[in-house]
């Protein structure tokens, strides 16, 4: 039996000994909504921790990594286990920053229910919009907790209305606040019609229903029942006939609609002060589905053959690779083989602690040790066979921010490559590229914080001193005018010499056509066996044009030449062609080309006009905008934008959209860049090249 640090039975074991259900809840919410404090309160309420930590003091079960504690905000998943009234629970606290969204989505995919934590401000409701949209799209049952009610100054009705604008499921208020002046001191449960007063660090106390809230309670209860009746004809008949409703029947209807993701209950609380935490736990216990319902919902089949799914990969110091999984069915034992990889250790994670266990049962969330070939999202079975359906793993979002990465010590470059490979395996939204042409190692991610956290992990975990800088742009150059050029290579140094003489025509071609070569030699002035060497020399000459960049969209035609029966060779013709082309390019009106990308920006509608301004200030060409399909209240703006203007685009977009905007991009074409901007690019490039 695994034990927690206090020596008492582990949470999962306590739940199993009681014969209860095994469930997993993902805790989601926008940045600074209070998720980590809520996790701490839940673990305290379930007896997992005797004394709560705080984000301020940096001693919570979640956010154990230095990057999170330094920021006072989650940068990766935090897992905690607890037991409540005989049921076993796993709680997964997820990062609130949009740059770490992929972790949150992965946690949702293996959870039975999601708890969406929001602040009590209608203006901040949009921040929860993408979260609610994802849960709706994937039919994941979820609950909304309006947190920090001790700081609330707005009407709960207004907050609920604002949130409803971003949810395709009806939001059903389950409690109304009791106020003493401007301060929220408790709540009334709309099903039991019981009133409670909040108590600091303790369960709420039952009190008499205050007369001041009776009218609002009756109105809100009626709204709840009418919403619930939309899914049950019998309940609708009872309401129309004004019959007394059986409260247990109402609870059963609520559990059914939540499990089917038809309705979203909304609770009130303040996790930092334990307000409403017990009520949240009771709702989760009585109304949310267990793992068997989740297996059925996702179509993963049934039976006793073990099946697990990886939702997070970690390379832990002194432990090696850990694959965090949810056991969908069957029992997984230490030493079992899944997907051809041997399980080398089973661990229950709680914050930064790992408790070793001999096996894991259906519904458990555990880490499997040293399964090196296994990747995040993999479904694991003894045979390696996949289910026919139910996978539906979230796509990795396209990266929107890049930085060139370098190490202070050249000897650390090999070590850096290995460290980046591990971090990219842990975080599929991190992309690592080695650009041979530009001589740069670049990392791509979801924003500035994402890449700064990556750099900090390289330092704290791998002892690598790295620096980040703006990456170079892959400029090209071409020519405006056709040119004829004569080139001769002649060298005599004893024995056989070197001789080649060619005449070429160089002309610009249509944009995007690349390099073309042709020959119109007559009479054998350049023997055919030397013509491939001429083409190779011309291609080499295009690698660096007179402006310092690769040359594209030109056609070279070999028209004439001379050779020597003894001194001519492939090398001689190659050298002549290369020098001749470079001379021709310098005379042909060289012009700088910059890459232009087509970007599609997703943004809340109220910020669309600001996006237009951002694009215009960055030399963008707006192609149009329309409502974003399937996203009420959002627009999609499409534009052409120079690559040089994209490096920090996401920073401006998020600054003008409550941190919500994102974009996708694809290379579209090369476009001439002239004037002072072009001069500065060339000057900078020449200086960098020495």
């Amino acid at each position: 039996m695994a034990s927690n640090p206090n020596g008492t039975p582990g949470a999962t074991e306590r739940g199993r000994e009681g014969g209860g259900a095994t469930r997993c809840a993902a805790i989601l919410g926008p940045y600074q909504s209070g998720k980590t404090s809520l996790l701490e309160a839940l673990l305290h309420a379930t007896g997992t921790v005797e004394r709560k930590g705080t984000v301020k003091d940096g001693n919570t079960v979640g956010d154990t990594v230095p990057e999170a504690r330094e920021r006072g905000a989650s940068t990766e998943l935090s897992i905690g286990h607890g037991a409540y009234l005989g049921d076993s629970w796993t709680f997964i606290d997820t990062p609130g920053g949009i740059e770490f969204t992929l972790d949150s989505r992965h946690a949702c995919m293996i959870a039975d229910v999601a708890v969406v934590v929001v602040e009590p401000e209608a203006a901040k409701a949009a921040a929860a919009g993408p979260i609610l949209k994802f849960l709706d799209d994937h039919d994941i049952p979820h609950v909304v907790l309006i947190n920090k009610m001790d700081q609330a100054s707005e009407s709960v009705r207004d907050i609920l209305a604002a949130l409803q604008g971003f949810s395709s499921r009806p939001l059903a208020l389950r409690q109304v606040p009791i106020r003493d002046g401007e301060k929220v001191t408790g709540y009334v449960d709309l099903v039991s019609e019981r009133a409670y007063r909040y108590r600091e660090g303790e369960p709420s106390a039952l009190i008499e229903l205050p007369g001041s809230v009776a009218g609002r309670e009756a109105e809100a209860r009626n709204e709840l029942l009418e919403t619930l009746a939309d899914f049950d004809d019998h309940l609708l008949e009872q309401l129309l006939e004004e019959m007394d409703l059986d409260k247990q029947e109402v609870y059963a209807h609520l559990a059914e609609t939540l499990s089917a993701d038809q309705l979203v209950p909304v609770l009130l609380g303040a996790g930092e002060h334990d307000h409403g935490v017990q009520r949240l736990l009771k709702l989760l216990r009585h109304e949310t589905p267990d793992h068997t319902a989740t297996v059925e919902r996702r179509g993963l089949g049934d039976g006793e053959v073990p099946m697990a799914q990886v939702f997070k990969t970690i390379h832990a110091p002194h432990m090696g690779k850990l694959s965090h999984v949810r056991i969908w069915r069957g029992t997984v034992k230490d030493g079992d083989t899944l997907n051809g990889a041997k399980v080398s250790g089973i661990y229950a994670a709680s914050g930064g602690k790992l408790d070793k266990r001999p096996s894991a049962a259906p519904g458990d969330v555990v880490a499997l040790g040293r399964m090196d070939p296994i990747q995040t999202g993999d479904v694991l079975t003894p045979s390696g066979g996949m289910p026919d359906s139910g996978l539906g793993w979230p796509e990795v979002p396209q990266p929107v921010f890049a930085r060139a990465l370098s190490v202070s010590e050249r000897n650390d470059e090999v070590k850096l490559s290995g460290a980046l490979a591990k971090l990219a395996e842990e975080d599929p939204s991190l992309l690592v590229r080695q650009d041979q042409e530009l001589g740069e190692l670049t990392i791509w991610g979801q924003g500035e914080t994402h890449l700064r956290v990556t750099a900090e992990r390289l330092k704290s975990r791998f002892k690598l001193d790295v620096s980040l800088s703006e990456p170079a742009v892959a400029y090209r150059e071409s020519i405006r005018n056709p040119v004829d050029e004569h080139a001769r290579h002649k060298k005599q140094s004893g024995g056989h010499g070197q001789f080649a003489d060619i005449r070429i025509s160089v002309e610009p071609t249509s944009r995007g056509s690349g390099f073309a070569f042709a020959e119109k030699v007559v009479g054998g002035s350049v023997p055919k066996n030397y013509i491939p060497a001429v083409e190779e020399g011309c291609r080499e000459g295009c690698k660096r044009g007179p402006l310092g960049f690769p040359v594209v969209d030109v056609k070279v035609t070999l028209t004439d030449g001379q050779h020597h029966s003894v001194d001519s060779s492939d090398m001689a013709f190659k050298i002549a062609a290369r020098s001749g082309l470079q001379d021709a390019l310098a005379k042909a009106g060289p012009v700088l080309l910059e890459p232009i990308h087509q970007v599609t920006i997703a943004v809340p509608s109220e910020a669309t006009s600001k996006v237009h301004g951002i694009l215009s200030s960055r030399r963008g060409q707006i192609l149009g905008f329309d409502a974003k399909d399937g996203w009420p209240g959002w627009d999609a703006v499409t534009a052409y934008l120079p690559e040089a203007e994209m490096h920090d685009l996401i920073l401006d977009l998020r600054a003008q959209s409550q941190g919500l905007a994102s974009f996708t991009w694809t290379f579209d074409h090369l476009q001439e860049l002239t004037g002072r901007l072009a001069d500065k690019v060339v000057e900078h490039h020449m200086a960098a090249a020495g």
Side-chain angles (χ1 to χ4, degrees), residues 198-507:
Y198 292 136
R199 295 190 295 181
E200 185 77 19
E202 297 181 54
S204 301
L206 182 66
I207 61 174
E208 288 189 14
L209 179 66
S212 60
V213 78
R216 172 59 183 141
E217 185 274 334
E219 178 186 5
R221 186 173 195 271
N222 192 56
E223 290 173 359
L224 168 64
L225 296 175
E226 287 180 351
T227 302
L228 192 58
D230 290 338
F231 304 99
D232 188 275
D233 291 340
H234 177 62
L235 180 59
L236 178 60
E237 291 176 7
Q238 290 179 301
L239 286 177
L240 291 175
E241 296 175 8
E242 299 183 353
M243 298 173 60
D244 289 335
L245 301 180
D246 180 82
K247 291 176 182 177
Q248 294 307 314
E249 187 177 347
V250 174
Y251 280 124
H253 288 313
L254 287 167
E256 184 178 345
T257 52
L258 174 59
S259 295
D261 189 35
Q262 295 173 321
L263 182 144
V264 181
V266 179
L267 303 182
L268 312 176
E272 188 174 2
H273 304 288
D274 296 297
H275 296 169
V277 173
Q278 289 284 346
R279 183 67 195 95
L280 172 62
L281 277 169
K282 288 180 180 178
L283 184 147
L284 293 176
R285 181 182 188 270
H286 293 294
E287 299 180 30
T288 61
D290 64 11
H291 86 281
T292 58
T294 305
V295 169
E296 183 179 353
R297 170 171 59 83
R298 293 195 57 195
L300 296 173
D302 53 17
E304 297 300 319
V305 177
M307 176 185 288
Q309 187 164 26
V310 184
F311 67 93
K312 182 65 180 177
T313 300
I314 291 288
H315 289 270
H318 313 300
M319 294 290 293
K321 182 175 177 178
L322 293 173
S323 301
H324 290 271
V325 304
R326 182 90 192 270
I327 308 295
W328 290 129
R329 64 176 190 237
T331 298
V332 176
K333 299 182 180 65
D334 194 2
D336 283 355
T337 298
L338 302 173
N339 287 31
K342 182 180 178 180
V343 177
S344 299
I346 299 176
Y347 307 90
S350 184
K353 297 181 174 62
L354 295 170
D355 292 332
K356 191 167 185 179
R357 297 172 48 188
S359 63
D364 284 351
V365 174
V366 295
L368 306 181
R370 301 184 183 279
M371 302 183 72
D372 291 339
I374 303 305
Q375 301 296 310
T376 299
D378 284 354
V379 174
L380 310 179
T381 61
S383 67
M386 297 293 103
D388 294 332
S389 63
L391 295 179
W393 205 242
E395 292 185 3
V396 176
Q398 187 178 23
V400 293
F401 190 80
R403 280 293 179 260
L405 183 69
S406 59
V407 285
S408 57
E409 297 290 336
R410 189 173 183 85
N411 292 337
D412 284 338
E413 289 181 354
V414 173
K415 183 179 178 182
L416 175 64
S417 296
L420 284 173
K422 290 180 178 179
L423 292 182
E425 187 176 20
E426 292 181 0
D427 180 2
S429 65
L430 178 68
L431 181 64
V432 181
R433 286 180 177 172
Q434 180 69 58
D435 193 311
Q436 299 296 334
E437 176 197 324
L438 299 174
E440 280 187 342
L441 176 66
T442 57
I443 54 174
W444 287 77
Q446 301 305 307
E448 184 177 32
T449 300
H450 186 198
L451 297 193
R452 287 193 179 279
V453 166
T454 298
E456 290 167 17
R457 287 172 178 165
L458 288 170
K459 184 175 182 178
S460 63
R461 289 171 51 184
F462 300 97
K463 313 306 177 188
L464 288 165
D465 185 15
V466 300
S467 59
L468 302 176
S469 59
E470 189 170 296
V473 175
Y475 290 101
R476 297 289 185 265
E477 60 180 276
S478 191
I479 58 175
R480 289 196 178 101
N481 309 313
V483 170
D484 293 328
E485 185 67 27
H486 173 228
R488 170 175 289 195
H489 176 67
K490 183 177 181 181
K491 186 175 181 181
Q492 192 72 40
S493 57
H496 289 302
Q498 295 183 36
F499 179 83
D501 186 292
I502 61 169
R503 294 184 181 274
I504 56 175
S505 292
V506 183
E507 59 184 312

Side-chain angles (χ1 to χ4, degrees), residues 123 126 166 603-610 633-635 656-658 660:
F166 300 98
V603 62
S605 300
E606 60 267 21
T608 300
S609 61
K610 297 176 182 177
W634 284 64
D635 287 334
Q656 298 297 327
S657 65
Q658 298 185 53
L660 296 175

Side-chain angles (χ1 to χ4, degrees), residues 560-580:
D560 201 359
Q562 298 180 51
H563 73 285
H564 188 277
S565 59
V566 175
D567 292 342
S568 288
S569 66
D570 285 341
M571 181 58 68
F573 274 97
K574 179 179 175 180
I575 294 172
R578 183 173 61 225
S579 62

